[in-house]
Amino acid sequence: MTFSADDLLKQIQQRQFQPVYFLQGEEPYYVDLIADKLEQTVLPEADRGFNQVVLYGKDTDLATILGQARRFPMMAERSVVIVKEAQAIADLEAEKNWPFLEAYLKNPLTSTVLVFCYKHKTLDARKKLGKLLAEKAAVLTSKKIYDNNVPAFITGYVRSRQQSISGQATAMLAEYIGPDLGRLTNEIDKLLLNVLPGHSIDEDLVQRMVGISKDYNIFELQKALIQRDVLKANRILSYFEANPRANPIIPNLTLLFGFFTKLLVLHQRGNPSDADFKKLGIMHSFAQKDYTLAMRVYDFGRTRAIIHLIRRADLQSKGVESGSMTDGEILRELVFLILHPVPLSAIVG
């Protein structure tokens, strides 16, 4: 039986527990969220010492797990067996062991809640094990979200905490952190602890708490590129070079690549509509204005060439044809080539 994260959270809140959960997927956030809720909810704290067992895949095997699952609770209504890092169970995917798992799934101990946390990957649904779990267990498949869905996730998460967040703060978090939901929710939780009563999370709070310098950050550099402000861009680059640990080149290149890739898609639309912007995760009017201005500054051909330049800088940052260049010099050269009318075709081929 396949369930969404919302379905399972609702069931847990209503204390409707499944005998076996198989939580899998490339996005570990929802796997951890459901497992943590079960760990905190099924048993009262006083009963957990004798009746709640946490195993780790690399340290256990299927026989041990099933043996724990068949134990009756001690002076409690239920027992809980949680298998973390279940993808590391050496014999889980050994076909010779499937009959034992199948026997348990067909007749699980109703007083046991057995939870497999199979992270960063999924079972092959075409094979017998995948089919068996889909039929007999509560299966959650947690997929990574697309970049354009990150702003909606942020606003929804903040709203679920009875708070609000400004559009610019949402855009900053989405661009700076991206679709890493574990890190994203940790940062939002930190912001929620520091927001003043009656106030929204705004860009100033994000800059202070997430470690983004107010005047010298990748967003301000991006704005300088859009406005072709050479002086401002060079000031930011000097700050980056003076503070390399706070401004590593790879995340900065990733953000610039994302910006110009979206810009290229907008060029392909010709005259992009509001819906086109939103499909790319460009939800707010101030961001749409930035992209509209950038489309006038960098035409399709130049945008395409800039993307090649960013890829080249990425390779250089990893030691490919960079010679003795530092990360600061690589980024400085990239920005120079973006801002100045150098024949880019001669560089990118």
Side-chain angles (χ1 to χ4, degrees):
M1 298 170 284
T2 302
F3 295 89
S4 70
D6 287 340
D7 290 337
L8 292 179
L9 288 170
K10 185 176 180 180
Q11 289 179 11
I12 293 168
Q13 186 177 19
Q14 296 172 347
R15 299 193 60 78
Q16 298 173 358
F17 303 117
Q18 303 284 344
V20 182
Y21 293 86
F22 195 86
L23 314 174
Q24 65 175 352
E26 295 177 356
E27 175 50 70
Y29 171 73
Y30 289 109
V31 173
D32 290 336
L33 178 64
I34 301 299
D36 289 347
K37 287 291 183 184
L38 288 165
E39 190 171 354
Q40 296 161 11
T41 305
V42 177
L43 293 174
E45 189 170 358
D47 292 341
R48 294 174 195 167
F50 292 108
N51 297 293
Q52 188 156 286
V53 176
V54 177
L55 304 171
Y56 289 86
K58 65 176 182 169
D59 300 323
T60 191
D61 56 24
L62 194 57
T64 301
I65 294 165
L66 296 178
Q68 289 286 349
R70 289 191 176 98
R71 290 177 57 215
F72 288 96
M74 185 180 297
M75 296 181 292
E77 182 182 358
R78 292 185 175 90
S79 62
V80 179
V81 180
I82 298 175
V83 188
K84 297 190 175 183
E85 307 296 337
Q87 73 278 3
I89 301 170
D91 61 350
L92 175 63
E93 297 180 53
E95 193 168 350
K96 65 180 182 179
N97 293 321
W98 294 351
F100 304 107
L101 179 59
E102 182 175 16
Y104 183 81
L105 290 172
K106 285 183 175 179
N107 188 29
L109 194 64
T110 56
S111 59
T112 296
V113 175
L114 174 59
V115 186
F116 291 93
C117 302
Y118 191 90
K119 295 163 68 173
H120 308 295
K121 56 193 293 192
T122 58
L123 288 175
D124 189 338
R126 298 167 298 179
K127 293 185 176 180
K128 184 176 180 180
L129 181 59
K131 292 178 179 178
L132 178 63
L133 287 162
E135 181 183 351
K136 301 295 183 181
V139 176
L140 167 74
T141 300
S142 178
K143 298 179 181 179
K144 282 192 173 295
I145 70 170
Y146 294 111
D147 288 344
N148 60 324
N149 292 327
V150 173
F153 175 86
I154 293 170
T155 54
Y157 185 84
V158 172
R159 193 180 301 118
S160 73
R161 300 301 189 273
Q162 288 75 53
Q163 263 294 357
S164 58
I165 183 169
S166 73
Q168 192 158 350
T170 299
M172 290 178 71
L173 286 172
E175 290 289 340
Y176 191 73
I177 298 175
D180 182 341
L181 299 188
R183 184 183 168 206
L184 192 57
T185 52
N186 284 337
E187 293 292 350
I188 295 172
D189 289 342
K190 184 166 67 175
L191 292 168
L192 291 170
L193 288 173
N194 288 275
V195 68
L196 295 173
H199 289 70
S200 298
I201 296 173
D202 59 20
E203 54 271 26
D204 289 335
L205 184 63
V206 171
Q207 287 169 341
R208 284 194 290 112
M209 301 306 301
V210 183
I212 305 172
S213 169
K214 184 173 182 180
D215 298 312
Y216 301 103
N217 58 65
I218 189 61
F219 307 107
E220 291 300 318
L221 178 59
Q222 183 176 288
K223 190 177 295 184
L225 294 177
I226 295 169
Q227 298 171 350
R228 299 187 62 80
D229 189 333
V230 177
L231 180 60
K232 181 178 180 180
N234 281 317
R235 284 175 177 167
I236 294 169
L237 290 171
S238 295
Y239 179 84
F240 284 1
E241 287 180 289
N243 299 274
R245 287 190 177 183
N247 300 280
I249 189 171
I250 297 298
N252 287 336
L253 291 176
T254 300
L255 291 169
L256 289 176
F257 182 80
F259 175 80
F260 282 100
T261 301
K262 290 178 182 178
L263 190 64
L264 190 68
V265 174
L266 292 171
H267 272 303
Q268 291 172 325
R269 297 287 189 270
N271 185 22
S273 65
D274 187 57
D276 291 324
F277 282 110
K278 289 181 177 178
K279 283 179 183 177
L280 292 172
I282 309 167
M283 310 296 290
H284 303 286
S285 58
F286 67 86
Q288 292 178 9
K289 288 177 182 177
D290 283 347
Y291 277 93
T292 301
L293 175 59
M295 288 178 70
R296 294 198 294 267
V297 174
Y298 303 104
D299 62 21
F300 178 85
R302 191 163 179 80
T303 301
R304 183 172 173 272
I306 288 170
I307 290 171
H308 283 288
L309 283 173
I310 296 171
R311 286 174 172 162
R312 174 174 172 264
D314 179 62
L315 288 173
Q316 288 175 325
S317 73
K318 296 167 183 173
V320 179
E321 297 182 0
S322 59
S324 60
M325 292 176 72
T326 65
D327 286 353
E329 290 168 340
I330 293 169
L331 189 59
R332 189 176 288 277
E333 180 186 66
L334 172 64
V335 169
F336 178 88
L337 293 172
I338 292 173
L339 286 173
H340 293 80
V342 176
L344 299 179
S345 59
I347 300 170
V348 301

